[in-house]
């Protein structure tokens, strides 16, 4: 999704770039400089989510308890995404059924509205958690190279999470990798370091040891997409409404598509793609 940062984001990026250039060889950073790196990456990511309008065709492999799904996905800017499910739980979906499922979505305002609501909910959650990152954790430089820098984080004891989702997030420690050139988040991973109880455990609990990770990749200049997510959290409530507690998802084979695609055009494009995966690929994925 293409995005040119506004002036405020540009100034933050310049400040961080100056820090990288001045301190990159020695590896010594003040706490303020590290906080600036984190704040810059968060600010640019949020602005990209709001202003970025690049869309892609890609392959999606999503594994959850009881579900192993392969799909061809075509995004549109404002009409949602077409998901052509090609294989489910080890069985290939007949092409005729693939076509009928795609057509059903195209002609169902109710399904489109549900997808839109889920997308809006997830985007809101992500922004909320991103805004929390600079204040919720204590940061330190773990390692660095010419390409990226790895920051370690742990809960900030002075941070008071405003809601239950943030309580889970703030109980995590882990690492965040930042791209030094674009100041973008390359990966974010964490582990729950202590049990999280809600209303003394009566409303739910997240167990110590749960993990999650998100991996992102640059597809075009200044265009980044999430390519893998892993969530393995045990407890009695969901961390996110539309994200399973035990899930591994990988997106591959990205191809840029026109930004003005209608949903009908996206459906036709999805159905023109070669079936995926082939039998040998599917077997190796189990």
């Amino acid at each position: 999704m293409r995005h040119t940062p506004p002036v405020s984001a540009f100034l933050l990026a310049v400040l961080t770039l100056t820090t990288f250039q001045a301190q990159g060889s020695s590896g010594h950073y003040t706490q303020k400089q590290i906080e600036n790196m984190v704040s810059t990456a968060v600010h640019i990511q949020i602005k990209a989510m709001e202003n970025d309008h690049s869309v892609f065709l890609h392959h999606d492999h999503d594994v959850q308890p009881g579900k192993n799904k392969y799909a061809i996905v075509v995004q549109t800017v404002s009409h949602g995404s077409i998901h052509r499910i090609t294989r489910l739980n080890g069985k290939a979906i007949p092409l005729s059924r693939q076509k009928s499922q795609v057509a059903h979505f195209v002609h169902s305002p109710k399904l489109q509205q549900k997808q839109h609501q889920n997308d809006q909910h997830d985007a809101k959650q992500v922004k909320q958690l991103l805004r929390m990152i600079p204040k919720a954790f204590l940061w330190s430089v773990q390692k660095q190279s010419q390409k990226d820098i790895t920051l370690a984080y742990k809960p900030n004891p002075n941070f008071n999470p405003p809601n239950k989702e943030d309580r889970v997030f703030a109980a995590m420690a882990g690492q965040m990798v930042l791209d030094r050139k674009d100041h973008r988040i390359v990966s974010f991973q964490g582990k729950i370091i202590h049990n999280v109880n809600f209303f003394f455990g009566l409303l739910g609990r997240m167990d110590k040891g749960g993990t999650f990770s998100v991996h992102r990749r640059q597809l075009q200049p200044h265009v980044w997409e999430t390519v893998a997510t892993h969530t393995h959290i045990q407890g009695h409530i969901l961390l996110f409404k539309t994200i399973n507690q035990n899930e591994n998802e990988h997106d591959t084979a990205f191809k840029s598509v026109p930004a003005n695609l209608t949903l009908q055009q996206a459906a036709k494009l999805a159905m023109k793609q070669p079936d995926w995966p082939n039998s040998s690929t599917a077997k190796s994925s189990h």
Side-chain angles (χ1 to χ4, degrees), residues 31 50 204 247:
Q31 190 62 39
E50 295 172 344
E247 181 176 13

Side-chain angles (χ1 to χ4, degrees), residues 23-143:
Q23 305 294 338
S25 58
S26 64
H28 298 297
Y29 298 90
T30 66
Q31 190 62 39
K32 183 63 175 177
Q33 288 170 329
I34 298 174
E35 291 173 358
N36 283 340
M37 293 182 205
V38 176
S39 296
T40 298
V42 167
H43 186 82
I44 291 177
Q45 178 60 36
I46 291 175
K47 290 301 179 183
M49 291 175 64
E50 295 172 344
N51 301 323
D52 219 343
H53 299 302
S54 296
V55 284
F56 297 91
L57 178 156
H58 64 86
H59 292 167
D60 176 78
H61 183 202
D62 188 14
V63 180
Q64 302 179 28
K67 180 183 291 186
N68 187 340
K69 180 180 69 175
Y70 292 86
I72 297 171
V73 181
V74 180
Q75 304 168 339
T76 71
V77 172
S78 57
H79 305 293
S81 299
I82 294 295
H83 292 254
R84 173 190 163 191
I85 301 174
T86 59
R87 193 174 186 90
L88 184 63
N89 295 336
K91 297 182 179 180
I93 305 298
L95 184 59
S96 59
R97 185 178 170 190
Q98 294 180 34
K99 291 180 178 178
S100 64
Q101 289 177 338
V102 168
H104 180 57
F105 179 82
V106 170
H107 296 96
S108 174
K110 185 177 180 179
L111 290 178
Q112 295 167 28
Q113 178 64 19
K114 182 179 179 181
Q115 183 188 91
H116 176 73
Q117 290 175 345
N118 287 341
D119 290 345
Q120 291 291 100
H121 177 272
D122 287 349
K124 181 180 179 180
Q125 288 283 73
V126 170
K127 289 180 183 178
Q128 177 180 321
L129 296 178
L130 282 169
R131 292 189 180 101
M132 186 186 70
I133 283 176
K135 297 179 180 179
F137 304 115
L138 300 178
W139 296 88
S140 61
V141 175
Q142 191 173 61
K143 62 181 180 179

